[in-house]
Amino acid sequence: MPFCSQFIPMNVIDHPAHGSIIYHPSILPLHRGASAINWTLIQGDKKAGFSIFWADDGLDTGPILLQRECPVEPNDTVDSLYNRFLFPEGIKAMVESVQLIADGKAPRVPQTEEGASYEGIQKKSNSKVNLAQPAEAIHNWIRGHDKVPGAWTVIDGQTVTLYGSSMLGESVPAGQALEIEGASQAGVVTKDGLVLYGSDSKALMVKNLQFEDGKMISAAKYFSSGDTASVELTDDEKKIAEEIRDIWKGILSNVASIEETTDFFKSGAASMDVVRLVEEIKQKCAGLQLQNEDVYMATTFQDFIQMFVRRLRGEDQEEEMVIDYATKDVNNMTVKMPWQCFINGKFEDAENGKTANTVNPADGSVICKVAYASVGDVDRAVAAAKEAFQVGPWGRMNPRDRGTLLYKLADLMEEHQEELATIESIDSGAVYTLALKTHVGMSIQTFRYFAGWCDKIQGKTIPINQARPNRNLTFTKKEPLGVCAIVIPWNYPLMMLAWKSAACLAAGNTLVLKPAQVTPLSALKFAELTVKAGIPKGVINIVPGSGGMVGQRLSDHPDIRKLGFTGSTPIGKQIMKSCALSNLKKVSLELGGKSPLIIFSDCDMDKAVRMGMSSVFFNKGENCIAAGRLFVEESIHDEYIRRVVEEIKKMKVGDPLHRSTDHGPQNHKAHMDKLVEYCEVGMKEGATLVYGGKQVDRPGFFMEPTLFTDVEDHMFIAKEESFGPIMVVSKFKDGDIDGVLNRANDTEFGLASGVFTRDINKAMYVSERLDAGTVFVNTYNKTDVASPFGGFKQSGFGKDLGEDALNEYLRTKAVTVEY
């Protein structure tokens, strides 16, 4: 039934055997009338919703059959409320209501008059905004009147209608002052729009302005002088223009002829006509990107054709992304590095203007300054991600199209792999050749792997037997969670980003990522590539800053539904606590390790030495699955140590950009100092320092590859992770398999482990009993994008990589239908 049922005779309403029901977009008896959604926003309601009620002879007064509600977000609009909740959930509710009626179970709950309200349809004459009130009230008035009839004010003596309002945080962008009639203080025209101030000195942003002649402009261009030069149409474009003229004529049937100056809206067109115009043109010109907003921006036929032709030629795209690069001539190239926060598709300063230096660990020099994000920046990033998920194109995108974008992103990463590897090397100290192959190479593979998963995420059908005859269908759906937060460490900056982000995006989520404070540059370069790949704005946001501020806010934020973290166990515990106390958000944690590597006397000695070296010194020991303790069988112990020392002496320590370098600098000075202290504790407790143990005497943060033997189980270095190039070796008695297993498992960590033996039965026996998320047999560090990765015990829970990783970013919904 339509809203205007009060004008329909009751004998018509009551004629159907079961009566008539009506859908109304408010929680009745609140906001009766045809503008219910508008008034929900105008009055600043914290909850919106809809009612399905039995039609009577009143105005939305009939008995309630069913109601549903949802929270109103701070920047919700009529469109976002409708698209997110009122329409999709309303369809489901109508189906449910009809079924209840058919089953004879539909309630008829009389409406109370307590709290009832009726608001009429707003007209242009009474929709002027009162600027002498708090900012939130102004914001509510504007968004409640957007698009029809439009809230207006007076600027420079003319009526100007305001569209696209959103609340601002503490920081207001710089711009040019604009006096506005009745405002408590002057507005500010900024690069993002028009800032208005309320009587409480808080601010809101208006995106678009419409003048009395119907012309709409971006509020950011209020002071721009002159119009864009007109384009000369080709013969083919002239033919298309005449076809569009016919479309205008079909819509504006009351107009004798469509002249160049014919105004779409002054000729009587309404919002539904805008939709028709856009869809007819898109049908005629397949692939053309045209939005309803474009019609409001070009209301006369000549302006519309000019806009259309520019769009057709690809000349009228969004403004090219502006990046204030930090540049550096290094590694035989000029590296261009974004350094600002990346929020809602733009690079911008932290709202407080703060920056922090990022340092090259090879020599201790400052690479560049990097934005130091605040809580307000995090909130803006989360709001952008939420809007992108709920109302942006990402949430509505076909999964296969989403995969296409991720493939394109991987291609761009490959195209820029040398630059990315150079950034990884100077920012994290990674040896360039390793950065190229692993840090960057595996990141590219990860995005390609998960791009392929986008259209293969499936639910199941499940037979159930609750009653006979069994006419039930139960199926499950895999759905994205929404806005996810990702907090990554400093040892593999780009790869850790890829491991988590690729699965998150493939599942259909949006994200806010905090890179490590000491290694933010490759994440910000990645952000630049996401724009080039066509990832919609707001889907990916990067906020560099401190863990105590940015990381904590992400943990606490009520709009984040999942947080993925890689880092230390103590910080992981704090994150888990904060996530539980805030909104019980889902968490996956990849934390510390003390991974045991057991080397039996029947091993391939050459391989055990080579892979044992790699298990400890790979990526200068800054490796979450590094073998934190080697157990070597007594009969081969001395020979094994002798050969390891020979290999350590061959290692070239030096500039990570030199292709022959084996061992680069530690990531940052504080970490190197901890490694030196770690070695001092080991010697003090009685372990034998066979090699290394000191900082290398050269500029930068270089630590000698180090080897300890005679390490007993009670010692500090036997229990605690060094996260550096320190090999810790203990011997075990020949043949004592169960004894060495007990020692290997006597740790609160369980990330990885390994065993070297030629005896397959022994290998299987040991691998079954090692209490770790990954077991390597006769190899080490061999991770693959298709194999799940994650730990046990205090090494965390949840998986990166493989199909298992997708489930970390999905939820399962069960649907049961009786038919």
Side-chain angles (χ1 to χ4, degrees), residues 123-194:
K123 298 179 181 179
K124 196 73 175 182
S125 59
N126 60 5
S127 61
K128 182 179 181 181
V129 61
N130 174 15
L131 296 173
Q133 56 181 332
E136 186 174 359
I138 298 171
H139 166 61
N140 289 336
W141 185 266
I142 295 171
R143 65 175 175 157
H145 288 81
D146 191 341
K147 301 283 190 213
V148 178
W152 59 275
T153 188
V154 176
I155 303 175
D156 285 339
Q158 65 172 321
T159 299
V160 179
T161 306
L162 313 172
Y163 295 110
S165 173
S166 59
M167 291 297 295
L168 286 179
E170 296 178 2
S171 176
V172 174
Q176 187 173 350
L178 177 65
E179 294 297 330
I180 302 173
E181 182 181 289
S184 57
Q185 65 185 93
V188 181
V189 177
T190 75
K191 62 182 179 63
D192 298 319
L194 171 62

Side-chain angles (χ1 to χ4, degrees), residues 293-367:
E293 201 74 28
D294 296 323
V295 183
Y296 291 101
M297 294 288 195
T299 60
T300 66
F301 183 72
Q302 60 186 2
D303 288 346
F304 185 85
I305 290 299
Q306 288 286 309
M307 177 275 298
F308 168 81
V309 170
R310 288 193 179 93
R311 190 67 52 84
L312 200 62
R313 295 177 182 179
E315 298 173 0
D316 195 21
Q317 303 303 315
E318 288 190 9
E319 288 184 21
E320 186 176 348
M321 180 173 54
V322 177
I323 305 177
D324 182 14
Y325 289 112
T327 60
K328 196 171 185 67
D329 292 324
V330 61
N331 201 24
N332 299 317
M333 67 179 76
T334 300
V335 178
K336 299 168 68 177
M337 298 167 288
W339 58 270
Q340 297 165 296
C341 299
F342 181 73
I343 299 174
N344 205 26
K346 295 181 181 179
F347 286 101
E348 52 191 50
D349 292 345
E351 68 172 11
N352 55 18
K354 288 186 177 180
T355 61
N357 291 333
T358 187
V359 173
N360 184 341
D363 59 11
S365 64
V366 173
I367 302 169

Side-chain angles (χ1 to χ4, degrees), residues 344-508:
N344 205 26
K346 295 181 181 179
F347 286 101
E348 52 191 50
D349 292 345
E351 68 172 11
N352 55 18
K354 288 186 177 180
T355 61
N357 291 333
T358 187
V359 173
N360 184 341
D363 59 11
S365 64
V366 173
I367 302 169
C368 64
K369 62 181 182 180
V370 176
Y372 194 79
S374 67
V375 168
D377 295 312
V378 175
D379 289 347
R380 288 188 299 112
V382 173
K386 186 174 182 179
E387 182 177 2
F389 179 77
Q390 292 182 342
V391 301
W394 188 253
R396 304 189 302 271
M397 190 176 292
N398 181 294
R400 194 162 297 167
D401 293 338
R402 190 163 65 239
T404 299
L405 290 180
L406 294 185
Y407 276 123
K408 186 174 181 181
L409 177 56
D411 291 344
L412 282 166
M413 292 171 69
E414 187 170 55
E415 185 180 321
H416 290 262
Q417 60 183 330
E418 288 85 3
E419 187 177 21
L420 286 167
T422 301
I423 292 172
E424 285 278 286
S425 186
I426 64 174
D427 204 23
S428 76
V431 172
Y432 175 76
T433 51
L434 177 66
L436 192 62
K437 179 184 181 297
T438 301
H439 288 233
V440 179
M442 193 173 188
S443 299
I444 295 166
Q445 292 176 25
T446 302
F447 271 98
R448 285 186 175 142
Y449 174 80
F450 283 108
W453 266 110
C454 288
D455 61 354
K456 301 172 186 67
I457 299 171
Q458 301 174 1
K460 300 176 181 177
T461 56
I462 304 170
I464 62 171
N465 187 24
Q466 293 183 331
R468 287 187 173 82
N470 184 10
R471 299 180 62 198
N472 298 294
L473 169 66
T474 294
F475 62 90
T476 60
K477 297 174 63 181
K478 295 287 188 179
E479 299 179 340
L481 301 172
V483 180
C484 299
I486 294 174
V487 180
I488 56 174
W490 42 258
N491 57 329
Y492 294 103
L494 186 64
M495 195 171 78
M496 292 297 98
L497 175 153
W499 280 23
K500 288 177 166 37
S501 299
C504 174
L505 295 169

Side-chain angles (χ1 to χ4, degrees), residues 35 42 98 186 318 375 382 402 414 495 514 519 522 658:
S35 298
I42 292 169
V98 170
E318 288 190 9
V375 168
V382 173
R402 190 163 65 239
E414 187 170 55
M495 195 171 78
K514 189 198 91 65
T519 55
S522 54
H658 288 174

Side-chain angles (χ1 to χ4, degrees), residues 628-697:
R629 192 176 181 193
L630 276 68
F631 294 91
V632 181
E633 201 159 10
E634 191 169 28
S635 59
I636 65 166
H637 175 272
D638 293 349
E639 172 66 10
Y640 187 83
I641 296 301
R642 182 186 67 80
R643 293 184 60 173
V644 165
V645 171
E646 288 179 356
E647 294 302 316
I648 290 177
K649 289 179 178 179
K650 298 175 186 176
M651 293 176 66
K652 181 178 178 181
V653 179
D655 186 346
L657 291 174
H658 288 174
R659 305 310 192 253
S660 61
T661 298
D662 298 305
H663 187 80
Q666 304 311 134
N667 187 274
H668 51 282
K669 186 178 186 302
H671 179 54
M672 186 200 64
D673 292 343
K674 286 182 180 179
L675 294 177
V676 173
E677 183 182 354
Y678 186 93
C679 293
E680 291 171 351
V681 171
M683 289 186 287
K684 185 176 180 181
E685 289 188 331
T688 300
L689 177 64
V690 178
Y691 194 92
K694 302 186 298 297
Q695 180 180 353
V696 179
D697 185 16

Side-chain angles (χ1 to χ4, degrees), residues 207-211 215-223 296-297:
K207 289 291 187 183
N208 297 315
L209 306 174
Q210 188 173 36
F211 299 99
K215 180 75 172 180
M216 183 181 284
I217 65 166
S218 168
K221 298 179 179 179
Y222 182 84
F223 288 116
Y296 291 101
M297 294 288 195

Side-chain angles (χ1 to χ4, degrees), residues 17 45 50 87 205 255 274 415 476 599 655 682 728 737 759 778:
D45 294 354
F50 58 81
F87 176 74
M205 178 80 76
V255 177
V274 173
E415 185 180 321
T476 60
I599 300 174
D655 186 346
V728 175
I737 298 176
D759 186 336
N778 293 329

